[in-house]
């Protein structure tokens, strides 16, 4: 068996016990499954690979630690977008652990210290928190390190010595966010990070920058990026920058498909969201494999 360095995300739902009490076993099981699969789709769309679902949790591997942390930081938002009457009675949250290091993949599962650490960090996190280990922190750019809060050293079950842990804290006031994302040198120089997504279809091209309002993809004159096809809803999907990430949200009747470059299987969106990362294709109303599908190419540029 061969080892490979991977970033491991372990995300675990909170509040499911109260949900089973308030909604009953059948309804609660359906809601928990819908929530965990929404988290999985979001992480897969951001470049992760789902290893397995574990009841009310999901285990995902990333090659890129930066993409992993950025995707993990938005998991609570993903759940909030799934709000329903049942969830308002017994709110569901998520707590997340992220670790980096050598793992072994075997027979559809993965093994190694980072897997254990990610699970333990998830255990120690509070609802809505993402905790990361030292190896993950060391691989983040300075702008993202400044958006993390050191918890110093904490004891982790199974580790002989306390380990250094950081809490990812991208929820800032406007003033704090400015200094967090830019840093002193950038403020002095007046430079700003470049964040935009380029969309292209046939002869249509548009760039959505981080400070632009959301862009509606759909049929008719009311759409910011019109796509004239009977399978496309008038307000089919929304593309926007939020918390430093480019997010696609589907509102359509027929669904949307996102396929990242290098990934053969597309992520299917039906009234839910995922983070766009790198380059790929978006299919509106039909899968990208259908050669007649109205398909857009995208390229996310994030030099933050």
């Amino acid at each position: 068996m061969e080892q490979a360095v991977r970033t491991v995300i372990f995300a675990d739902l909170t509040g499911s016990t109260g949900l089973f009490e308030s909604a009953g076993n059948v309804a609660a099981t359906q809601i928990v499954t819908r929530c965990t699969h929404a988290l999985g789709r979001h992480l897969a769309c951001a470049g992760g690979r789902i290893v397995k679902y574990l009841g009310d949790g999901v285990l995902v591997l990333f090659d890129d630690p930066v993409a992993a942390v950025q995707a993990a930081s938005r998991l609570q938002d993903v759940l909030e977008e799934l709000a329903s009457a049942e969830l308002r009675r017994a709110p569901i949250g998520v707590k997340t652990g992220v670790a980096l290091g050598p793992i072994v993949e075997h027979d559809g599962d993965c093994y190694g210290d980072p897997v254990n650490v990610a699970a333990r960090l998830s255990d120690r996190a509070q609802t809505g928190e993402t905790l990361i280990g030292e190896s993950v922190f060391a691989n983040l750019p300075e702008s993202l390190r400044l958006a993390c809060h050191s918890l110093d050293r904490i004891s982790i079950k199974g580790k002989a010595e306390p380990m250094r842990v950081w809490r990812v804290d991208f929820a800032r006031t406007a003033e704090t966010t400015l200094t967090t994302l830019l840093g002193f040198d950038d403020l002095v120089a007046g430079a700003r990070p470049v964040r935009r997504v380029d969309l292209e279809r046939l002869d249509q091209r548009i760039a959505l920058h981080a400070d632009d309002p959301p862009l509606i993809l759909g049929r008719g004159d009311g759409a910011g990026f019109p796509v004239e096809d009977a399978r496309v809803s008038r307000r089919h999907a929304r593309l926007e920058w939020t918390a430093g990430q480019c997010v696609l949200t589907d509102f359509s009747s027929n669904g949307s498909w996102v396929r990242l470059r290098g990934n053969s299987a597309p992520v299917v969106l039906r009234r839910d969201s995922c983070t766009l990362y790198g380059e790929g294709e978006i299919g509106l109303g039909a899968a990208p494999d259908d050669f007649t599908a109205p398909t857009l190419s995208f390229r996310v540029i994030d030099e933050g």
Side-chain angles (χ1 to χ4, degrees), residues 40-171:
R41 283 193 299 271
H42 166 75
L43 294 171
C45 196
R49 180 160 48 84
I50 299 170
V51 177
K52 59 183 177 181
Y53 292 97
L54 307 99
D56 54 2
V58 60
L59 177 65
V60 180
L61 299 180
F62 275 77
D63 293 330
D64 183 353
V66 176
V69 171
Q70 290 178 324
S73 70
R74 197 175 173 272
L75 289 178
Q76 187 67 38
D77 295 336
V78 172
L79 291 184
E80 290 174 1
E81 291 168 359
L82 292 176
S84 65
E86 291 86 355
L87 296 186
R88 285 192 290 272
R89 289 203 302 268
I92 293 290
V94 60
K95 52 184 185 177
T96 310
V98 187
L100 171 67
I103 64 163
V104 172
E105 296 184 65
H106 177 67
D107 197 22
D109 210 338
C110 62
Y111 307 87
D113 186 60
V115 179
N116 299 328
V117 170
R120 300 306 180 191
L121 289 176
S122 174
D123 289 341
R124 294 296 301 266
Q126 300 296 313
T127 298
E129 284 187 345
T130 297
L131 300 185
I132 65 175
E134 187 167 8
S135 296
V136 177
F137 181 80
N139 278 272
L140 297 180
E142 184 65 19
S143 58
L144 294 187
R145 290 187 195 179
L146 291 171
C148 297
H149 176 72
S150 174
L151 302 182
D152 202 4
R153 297 182 182 272
I154 64 176
S155 297
I156 299 292
K157 185 177 179 180
K159 303 293 287 185
E161 299 290 337
M163 61 177 292
R164 298 188 67 187
V165 174
W166 286 260
R167 182 182 68 236
V168 179
D169 187 10
F170 293 157

Side-chain angles (χ1 to χ4, degrees), residues 21-279:
E21 292 177 354
S22 65
N25 290 341
V26 175
T29 299
Q30 293 173 340
I31 292 170
V32 166
T33 301
R34 185 159 64 96
C35 288
T36 54
H37 282 254
L39 298 181
R41 283 193 299 271
H42 166 75
L43 294 171
C45 196
R49 180 160 48 84
I50 299 170
V51 177
K52 59 183 177 181
Y53 292 97
L54 307 99
D56 54 2
V58 60
L59 177 65
V60 180
L61 299 180
F62 275 77
D63 293 330
D64 183 353
V66 176
V69 171
Q70 290 178 324
S73 70
R74 197 175 173 272
L75 289 178
Q76 187 67 38
D77 295 336
V78 172
L79 291 184
E80 290 174 1
E81 291 168 359
L82 292 176
S84 65
E86 291 86 355
L87 296 186
R88 285 192 290 272
R89 289 203 302 268
I92 293 290
V94 60
K95 52 184 185 177
T96 310
V98 187
L100 171 67
I103 64 163
V104 172
E105 296 184 65
H106 177 67
D107 197 22
D109 210 338
C110 62
Y111 307 87
D113 186 60
V115 179
N116 299 328
V117 170
R120 300 306 180 191
L121 289 176
S122 174
D123 289 341
R124 294 296 301 266
Q126 300 296 313
T127 298
E129 284 187 345
T130 297
L131 300 185
I132 65 175
E134 187 167 8
S135 296
V136 177
F137 181 80
N139 278 272
L140 297 180
E142 184 65 19
S143 58
L144 294 187
R145 290 187 195 179
L146 291 171
C148 297
H149 176 72
S150 174
L151 302 182
D152 202 4
R153 297 182 182 272
I154 64 176
S155 297
I156 299 292
K157 185 177 179 180
K159 303 293 287 185
E161 299 290 337
M163 61 177 292
R164 298 188 67 187
V165 174
W166 286 260
R167 182 182 68 236
V168 179
D169 187 10
F170 293 157
R172 303 277 183 147
T173 63
E175 180 180 0
T176 305
T177 300
L178 180 66
T179 56
T180 294
L181 294 180
L182 296 182
F184 179 78
D185 291 338
D186 289 332
L187 288 172
V188 172
R192 289 184 175 271
V194 176
R195 287 191 175 96
R196 76 171 193 269
V197 56
D198 295 331
L199 288 180
E200 183 173 343
R201 178 175 184 263
L202 303 177
D203 60 347
Q204 295 174 263
R205 293 178 179 83
I206 195 169
L208 181 70
H209 296 266
D211 54 356
D212 289 337
L215 177 70
I216 299 300
L217 314 179
R219 182 162 47 88
D221 296 336
F225 194 102
V227 179
E228 299 305 321
D229 187 286
R231 293 164 289 186
V232 177
S233 300
R234 293 192 178 279
R235 181 180 168 86
H236 195 100
R238 181 182 69 218
L239 190 63
E240 63 186 327
W241 283 91
T242 177
Q245 300 180 61
C246 184
V247 179
L248 179 73
T249 303
D250 174 79
F251 300 107
S252 70
S253 301
N254 296 326
S256 301
W257 284 257
V258 176
R259 180 164 57 194
L260 297 173
R261 175 169 293 183
N263 289 6
S264 58
V267 175
V268 183
L269 300 178
R270 296 190 183 276
R271 306 296 175 93
D272 49 19
S273 304
C274 76
T275 300
L276 301 187
Y277 173 78
E279 301 181 35

